[in-house]
Amino acid sequence: MNETLVNVFLHHLEALGATWELADNPIAARLTLLHYLNALNRKDILAWEPEALSLPGLPEALADIGLTLTPTHRRNLNPELLVGVTSADAGLADTGSLVLHLAQGQSWLPALVTLHHVALLPASRLFPDMTTWRRAWMATRPGDLASSIIITGPSSADDIELHPHRGMFGPGRQHVILFYD
Amino acid sequence: MTVADSQTRFMFHRMGSLTTAAREKAWARVPEADALKARAVRARDRVLTDLSAYLDRLEEAARGNGVTVMRAAGAQEANRQIIETLRKLGATETLRNHHPLLDEIKLDDAAKANAVRLTPLHLGDFLAQLTGEHSGHPIWPVGHLTVEAISEALQEKWRVPKTYDPDHLTSTVRMRLRRLLLRADAAVLGVNFAVADGGVFALLDNDGHNASLVSLVRHGILILSVDQIVADMADLETLTRVFALSAWGRSRPAYITHLQKATPQGVDGPRTLHLILVDNRRSEIIDQGFGEALRCIHCGACHTTCPVYQQIGGAGYAHSPYTGPIGTVLNPLLLTPELGEPQAYLCDGAGLCAATCPLNIDFSRLHLEHRQRLVNAGRAGDDRRFFALWRRFLGMKRLFIPYWRRATRPPDEVR
């Protein structure tokens, strides 16, 4: 993995007001996530299906410390679910963006309706920019442009006197755990 | 046309200064800025010079993706199609996003007249509706209102405790809008750009209201102004970057939502997608030789530098959603002659709009063209009161001093 790419991505994330941690492997990433969620002191966490999170053994490890991942079901959203955990289909280094496709088990809601979004990103899914990522995507899925969101930093609204307010509809806090896979 | 009160003028000027500074700083960080702008102009002109072919391509791609496609020649037809579609779908709670086209066709009024529950989800639009204010800017509809005015409106309507803290006020409105979002079953979505190759629809924002709507509602009705078609994904990326830089001073919007087709059971996103392609005089505008005005992507950059806009505010443009310099070019073409024609004179020739526009629209040429046509038709200069007021306005030299200073500042100081 290109270290420069990782550094550029993390630099842009920081500039956007997001926070990040870098893990050496998926097991270290799992531990990092457990620490992070434990510190937030939330019991129920809105999340993607465990198999889509790219971290094997995560539900069991979370259960050991009394945390549960709640799958997203439209209209059954508990407003108390303040933390959302997702993976990402791609990270774009030039802007610190995360790409999330719409797919089975990969709801956008943990990255949208929560106040705090934690994203797990394998380093192999890091691309220099949008063009490179799209080329790679089209090479494997020609013709399918995919419905996707590209998230660049936390949600913000500045409609009142242009005062920046973090977390309008999307989360006001974004934390990325980037790990080598 | 009247000069706004001093408080409103101050707020428009403040908005202009803040957003101009952010935009200039962001563009200064783009090493290939000129090349990017040139690519954006080519992307717009490519489509505008062959609009009907791109429209057919988009329609074919969208139908191929299972989207129901309708065409509307005008605002009335578009509204009828939206209301009928909502009725057919049995939607009881509908939300709409922030988009000038929805204001142009006066969708809110049509929904009210037809007893359809339709609420704007965007904070600025919601506050504009709540306060009864006309949207003053394409990006910040109530950017000219003071926090005190917004607080008082909320106290009066919702009996919330008095506070002048913008964060607190935003959170108060957010909670209400979020509840609406969780129970809405349909969304009317004005589309920023649509890609002819593949039929992808792009929605851009920083607060996440578009992505939230797309995720949560069962039925999506996409409303597209036909001039906002782009040829392919590369052009979409170019225009998205240009929009983000010029509108918000960011390299990319916080949320870019790309939607291509309805989603199956078990996946977020609308189960049905409907597309209404709205012409509303766009084809005529091209035929009349004003196609260059349609390059506009409604980033609002021209507004924030315009001396006239900052003195008369958004309400000075005949209640059109197109205010500022782009309003003076589009409104004579979109509104009735009585309302639209005088707008061609809302320009003092400073030329800052053209210098700021990332799509290189030649506003001066378009203004002169409009005025020439009015002279040729014998309709210019018959409103003595208008010109008397205009002379008085131009005589208020004090108002223009900050703009002259800004315009004559060396480029190094700007950065």
Side-chain angles (χ1 to χ4, degrees):
Chain A
M1 171 53 56
N2 184 343
E3 288 300 320
T4 314
L5 206 57
V6 170
N7 290 335
V8 171
F9 177 70
L10 297 178
H11 165 78
H12 280 108
L13 267 186
E14 231 169 61
L16 292 163
T19 53
W20 57 267
E21 286 172 278
L22 185 61
D24 288 337
N25 52 55
I27 295 165
R30 198 174 67 194
L31 198 63
T32 307
L33 178 66
L34 290 177
H35 278 302
Y36 191 80
L37 294 177
N38 204 30
L40 289 176
N41 199 25
R42 305 299 310 183
K43 294 296 170 203
D44 292 334
I45 293 145
L46 197 65
W48 278 9
E49 299 292 340
E51 30 317 338
L53 283 174
S54 333
L55 289 182
L58 183 62
E60 296 79 6
L62 285 168
D64 286 346
I65 57 166
L67 299 176
T68 35
L69 294 180
T70 309
T72 49
H73 293 295
R74 192 183 171 279
R75 287 175 189 269
N76 294 330
L77 293 171
N78 178 356
E80 295 304 310
L81 288 170
L82 300 179
V83 184
V85 177
T86 70
S87 184
D89 293 282
L92 310 178
D94 67 335
T95 48
S97 309
L98 298 169
V99 182
L100 277 69
H101 294 308
L102 259 187
Q104 190 83 38
Q106 294 190 183
S107 170
W108 285 352
L109 297 176
L112 282 174
V113 300
T114 55
L115 298 181
H116 197 138
H117 175 214
V118 183
L120 301 159
L121 180 66
S124 60
R125 295 184 196 168
L126 212 46
F127 294 87
D129 50 39
M130 179 93 91
T131 312
T132 323
W133 160 68
R134 197 164 282 288
R135 207 177 295 134
W137 172 267
M138 294 299 281
T140 53
R141 297 168 173 87
D144 179 13
L145 295 165
S147 293
S148 53
I149 41 171
I150 298 141
I151 302 174
T152 307
S155 155
S156 70
D158 54 0
D159 291 278
I160 301 179
E161 287 199 357
L162 274 70
H163 171 83
H165 174 88
R166 280 285 169 88
M168 185 59 201
F169 293 101
R173 289 178 67 186
Q174 187 190 54
H175 186 73
V176 177
I177 300 175
L178 180 69
F179 61 96
Y180 293 99
D181 50 335
Chain B
M1 186 274 291
T2 52
V3 176
D5 62 74
S6 61
Q7 173 74 66
T8 309
R9 288 207 310 269
F10 170 78
M11 292 302 285
F12 273 107
H13 182 73
R14 178 180 176 274
M15 182 162 64
S17 305
L18 290 172
T19 56
T20 301
R23 185 180 59 251
E24 287 174 351
K25 203 171 153 191
W27 272 107
R29 284 197 297 259
V30 181
E32 80 293 9
D34 290 341
L36 181 63
K37 287 178 188 175
R39 281 209 304 276
V41 171
R42 280 199 299 275
R44 299 297 292 129
D45 288 350
R46 186 177 302 150
V47 171
L48 292 171
T49 50
D50 197 8
L51 187 59
S52 87
Y54 279 99
L55 196 53
D56 290 343
R57 270 167 66 184
L58 174 68
E59 182 170 350
E60 194 186 330
R63 284 189 199 281
N65 292 331
V67 178
T68 309
V69 184
M70 290 163 265
R71 290 197 189 200
Q76 218 176 351
E77 195 178 358
N79 284 325
R80 185 180 52 74
Q81 288 170 345
I82 295 168
I83 305 286
E84 277 177 10
T85 307
L86 288 170
R87 288 207 171 122
K88 262 187 227 160
L89 296 168
T92 53
E93 187 79 60
T94 306
L95 295 174
R96 73 164 175 87
N97 72 341
H98 172 71
H99 198 280
L101 180 61
L102 305 185
D103 295 329
E104 180 190 325
I105 64 172
K106 300 194 187 307
L107 176 62
D108 291 348
D109 294 346
K112 204 170 169 185
N114 286 281
V116 170
R117 283 172 64 96
L118 178 78
T119 312
L121 188 64
H122 182 261
L123 176 65
D125 287 341
F126 187 83
L127 290 173
Q129 201 178 70
L130 195 81
T131 54
E133 275 287 318
H134 176 71
S135 170
H137 189 275
I139 306 295
W140 296 278
V142 292
H144 60 288
L145 290 186
T146 60
V147 67
E148 289 83 2
I150 291 167
S151 176
E152 276 158 26
L154 285 172
Q155 280 174 63
E156 190 189 317
K157 308 267 179 183
W158 293 352
R159 300 189 187 286
V160 294
K162 184 176 176 177
T163 174
Y164 295 143
D165 174 9
D167 283 318
H168 190 89
L169 291 171
T170 305
S171 298
T172 305
V173 182
R174 175 187 187 275
M175 289 310 287
R176 299 232 176 178
L177 291 178
R178 222 178 126 97
R179 278 200 290 272
L180 276 179
L181 177 65
L182 291 176
R183 63 167 198 260
D185 38 25
V188 181
L189 299 159
V191 175
N192 288 91
F193 302 111
V195 184
D197 272 358
V200 175
F201 302 94
L203 308 165
L204 316 175
D205 64 57
N206 285 328
D207 60 1
H209 79 287
N210 284 314
S212 301
L213 279 170
V214 168
S215 303
L216 282 159
V217 299
R218 287 187 193 282
H219 309 289
I221 304 176
L222 303 164
I223 316 295
L224 176 74
S225 174
V226 293
D227 53 299
Q228 298 299 327
I229 298 175
V230 298
D232 52 32
M233 294 304 283
D235 282 358
L236 175 63
E237 169 65 358
T238 300
L239 289 165
T240 300
R241 275 188 77 192
V242 168
F243 185 88
L245 286 160
S246 286
W248 296 301
R250 299 176 56 118
S251 55
R252 192 165 278 160
Y255 295 90
I256 301 173
T257 310
H258 288 171
L259 191 60
Q260 196 184 23
K261 50 184 88 164
T263 53
Q265 194 74 32
V267 180
D268 282 356
R271 302 278 172 272
T272 67
L273 262 189
H274 312 262
L275 169 66
I276 300 175
L277 300 160
V278 183
D279 186 282
N280 208 24
R281 299 192 182 178
R282 265 65 175 177
S283 305
E284 280 173 50
I285 290 174
I286 294 172
D287 291 345
Q288 288 174 21
F290 285 93
E292 189 178 331
L294 297 179
R295 276 187 197 157
C296 179
I297 54 174
H298 307 292
C299 65
C302 60
H303 293 66
T304 50
T305 52
C306 175
V308 177
Y309 169 77
Q310 294 194 17
Q311 299 306 326
I312 65 172
Y317 295 85
H319 290 275
S320 161
Y322 305 112
T323 55
I326 193 62
T328 62
V329 171
L330 283 177
N331 290 337
L333 300 160
L334 291 173
L335 302 177
T336 58
E338 298 75 43
L339 290 172
E341 285 176 356
Q343 305 249 320
Y345 293 93
L346 290 178
C347 172
D348 67 344
L352 294 169
C353 47
T356 316
C357 177
L359 275 306
N360 202 20
I361 297 173
D362 188 348
F363 289 93
S364 305
R365 184 187 70 77
L366 295 169
H367 285 142
L368 286 174
E369 184 73 22
H370 272 309
R371 294 172 193 180
Q372 188 63 54
R373 282 174 191 220
L374 290 175
V375 169
N376 292 346
R379 292 206 298 275
D382 55 354
D383 188 342
R384 290 184 185 178
R385 283 179 60 207
F386 174 82
F387 284 105
L389 187 64
W390 187 239
R391 271 196 299 275
R392 218 176 103 199
F393 173 57
L394 289 179
M396 297 163 81
K397 289 180 182 158
R398 190 165 53 84
L399 301 176
F400 299 102
I401 289 169
Y403 306 101
W404 283 327
R405 281 199 187 130
R406 181 166 198 91
T408 53
R409 207 161 49 164
D412 290 352
E413 269 185 50
V414 174
R415 290 184 182 186

